[in-house]
Amino acid sequence: MLLKSIPAEQRTVLYNVSWETFEALLRDTGEGRGSRFAYDCGTLEIMTPLFEHENPKIQFDRLIFALAEELEIEIRSAGSTTLKRQRFTKGIEPDSCYYIQNEPKIRGKQELDLKTDPAPDLAIEIDITSSSVNKFNIYAGLGVAEIWRYDGAVLKFYQLVESEYIEINFSIAFPLISVGDMNRFIEQSKTMGEIALLKSFRVWVRGKIG
């Protein structure tokens, strides 16, 4: 097993990691650990998030919840739940993920098994620094329909089409929302108070649907 450490990015990469080792690491470290795993066919990246990573994650979560509430759409938040399929030797822990279109199919479930349950409809990925694994490849293998990726400056929306992600301008989960709209509010979160931002966002959504 070769080890490559990238301290500046708070990422550690392990190569030639078996699925059994990946499963053992998930089990031994538990859900309360501060790092997140991404596994693709033997390559395991362990990422420890910093403040500049976590704050946008929280902003996205609040905005998505407010959006769903204003649109009167039920969602099921799955947070950084480990999404994995042994058949495809892929696993990942998103910054956040949500069931929206498929919310009724997992309502009331206490455990998630992607062998029988649908994948989340939307995943949020915040990569302030460069990842050492192809996360899109992992998400495609798991069947996640939409990804919002933010690099600290620019937000992009992606839709899964025939096993590949293509960039899109409007969300699939929330067709009312363009990538430009959401990017504008995320940028405002850097200078506005969080309560003021949320109030402003709600007013904007009501204007769109009114």
Side-chain angles (χ1 to χ4, degrees):
M1 185 182 295
L2 298 177
L3 176 65
K4 179 182 179 183
S5 182
I6 312 173
E9 296 181 330
Q10 298 295 297
R11 298 178 190 270
T12 298
V13 185
L14 301 172
Y15 299 99
N16 301 318
V17 178
S18 68
W19 182 263
E20 292 72 22
T21 299
F22 172 52
E23 291 269 33
L25 286 169
L26 287 172
R27 183 176 59 253
D28 293 345
T29 55
E31 295 182 357
R33 60 185 150 75
S35 56
R36 299 194 187 105
F37 292 173
Y39 180 86
D40 189 13
C41 300
T43 300
L44 173 64
E45 179 183 84
I46 304 171
M47 186 274 291
T48 302
L50 302 174
F51 174 76
E52 63 178 333
H53 180 111
E54 289 296 271
N55 188 257
K57 167 195 165 179
I58 294 169
Q59 304 309 321
F60 275 113
D61 188 63
R62 289 173 177 166
L63 293 175
I64 286 171
F65 187 86
L67 178 60
E69 187 174 31
E70 295 296 335
L71 295 175
E72 298 184 351
I73 296 173
E74 284 295 343
I75 64 172
R76 183 78 181 271
S77 302
S80 296
T81 297
T82 305
L83 309 173
K84 56 189 174 72
R85 287 291 306 273
Q86 182 175 4
R87 175 184 174 186
F88 303 114
T89 59
K90 298 183 188 301
I92 198 164
E93 294 171 330
D95 287 295
S96 297
C97 62
Y98 307 86
Y99 285 90
I100 304 164
Q101 294 96 325
N102 282 312
E103 185 273 338
K105 295 181 180 179
I106 59 119
R107 187 180 299 176
K109 287 182 175 286
Q110 300 303 310
E111 295 183 356
L112 188 65
D113 185 349
L114 294 190
K115 293 194 297 291
T116 54
D117 296 321
D121 298 298
L122 172 63
I124 307 296
E125 272 297 326
I126 298 167
D127 288 318
I128 305 299
T129 57
S130 299
S131 176
S132 299
V133 295
N134 186 336
K135 292 184 178 179
F136 279 16
N137 190 45
I138 300 174
Y139 280 117
L142 299 174
V144 176
E146 182 176 355
I147 297 173
W148 293 5
R149 184 182 182 275
Y150 181 63
D151 66 3
V154 177
L155 171 66
K156 293 184 178 181
F157 290 174
Y158 296 91
Q159 178 186 5
L160 183 62
V161 179
E162 297 181 354
S163 301
E164 292 187 3
Y165 286 98
I166 62 170
E167 191 173 344
I168 55 177
N169 289 323
F170 283 83
S171 171
I172 303 303
F174 302 105
L176 179 77
I177 299 297
S178 76
V179 66
D181 295 331
M182 189 60 71
N183 194 65
R184 176 164 55 88
F185 282 101
I186 288 298
E187 285 303 296
Q188 287 178 5
S189 73
K190 297 176 181 179
T191 56
M192 286 183 68
E194 295 184 359
I195 301 302
L197 176 72
L198 200 55
K199 288 181 178 179
S200 174
F201 182 71
R202 285 183 180 276
V203 168
W204 177 81
V205 173
R206 290 167 189 165
K208 292 282 284 187
I209 62 181

